[in-house]
Amino acid sequence: MSDIVSARADERPLIEFWYEFASTYSYLSAMRIETLAHDCNIRIAWRPFLLGPIFKKQGWDTSPFNLHPAKGRYMWQDMERQCERYGLPFTMPAPFPQHSLLAARIAHGGRQQSWIGAFTRSVYVAEFGQGLDISDEGLMANLLLEAGAPVTQALKDTGSSETKIGLRAAVSEAEERGIFGAPSFVLESGELFWGDDRLELALETAARG
């Protein structure tokens, strides 16, 4: 009976959640997507990646929110509003953007593990809720422990060739999919939705098949 239930569960629509740990609006989506996806009976494929290499190809050496001050000021004001709306803690991290490579490698290695959702959320809360430095290995170890992950192995895997190559491949795949920012949501049909404000629409579209 359990095998039948599992087989049926696998037939649920799938949505890929592409997120960058340095992305402010990815924070909002990461904190909501599991609950919303569950309500829509949709599976999530967690796809952590890095925006830095994609930005560099456009001639940017930092976040567009830093390159365009007016846009940056608006974004921080909007983040305060949105976090208040969703009941999320908010602290502007310094520096911004944070160095997200370590967290991304951990998440990439654990993207198919049961602890990935809890770990992803805890990283975002530490960064944008508490203003902590997510490049700190000690902090990552604590967050992994809280998420129920195998701390020693997860940290060890960040230095493996498989993880490094895999994360670079994820960036290349994101570019091939037409992803230019985070958060982005990709349906099984290949249809792309960008931005936290498109999360509900992406899920609704996925649910309709």
Side-chain angles (χ1 to χ4, degrees):
M1 183 67 177
S2 60
D3 291 339
I4 295 175
V5 173
S6 297
R8 287 176 180 170
D10 289 342
E11 295 175 0
R12 293 176 299 161
L14 178 71
I15 189 169
E16 295 182 8
F17 173 36
W18 290 81
Y19 60 100
E20 151 74 76
F21 279 114
S23 162
T24 51
Y25 288 104
S26 290
Y27 168 40
L28 304 179
S29 291
M31 303 305 290
R32 304 187 300 126
I33 191 169
E34 276 198 312
T35 298
L36 294 174
H38 179 269
D39 291 344
C40 295
N41 199 34
I42 292 173
R43 293 175 293 144
I44 304 169
W46 300 82
R47 301 302 308 268
F49 75 118
L50 299 170
L51 276 172
I54 295 175
F55 286 169
K56 283 182 180 178
K57 289 185 178 180
Q58 300 180 57
W60 303 345
D61 59 0
T62 185
S63 166
F65 292 123
N66 289 340
L67 295 173
H68 305 284
K71 180 182 287 188
R73 287 192 296 272
Y74 173 83
M75 181 273 290
W76 292 119
Q77 292 172 353
D78 190 49
M79 281 295 296
E80 288 187 34
R81 287 194 298 254
Q82 295 295 82
C83 285
E84 182 177 357
R85 175 189 179 194
Y86 295 132
L88 299 174
F90 177 71
T91 299
M92 183 171 152
F96 174 79
Q98 289 265 320
H99 188 62
S100 60
L101 178 60
L102 176 60
R105 284 180 176 172
I106 293 172
H108 176 79
R111 65 194 182 282
Q112 296 180 329
Q113 302 302 314
S114 60
W115 48 264
I116 184 59
F119 173 74
T120 295
R121 289 188 294 273
S122 69
V123 173
Y124 278 117
V125 170
E127 179 182 15
F128 293 112
Q130 301 171 295
L132 301 179
D133 179 6
I134 64 169
S135 69
D136 181 79
E137 187 172 307
L139 173 61
M140 291 298 102
N142 289 336
L143 298 183
L144 283 164
L145 184 64
E146 292 173 5
V151 179
T152 301
Q153 188 61 51
L155 290 175
K156 180 180 178 182
D157 288 346
T158 62
S160 72
S161 297
E162 181 180 357
T163 297
K164 292 177 180 179
I165 293 172
L167 185 56
R168 287 197 293 269
V171 174
S172 296
E173 184 181 350
E175 290 182 288
E176 292 170 2
R177 297 286 195 91
I179 293 172
F180 54 87
S184 287
F185 314 98
V186 181
L187 309 191
E188 291 178 281
S189 65
E191 187 171 0
L192 171 66
F193 296 80
W194 169 59
D196 175 67
D197 58 349
R198 294 296 184 268
L199 172 56
E200 284 84 355
L201 179 59
L203 290 168
E204 291 169 9
T205 305
R208 290 197 301 268

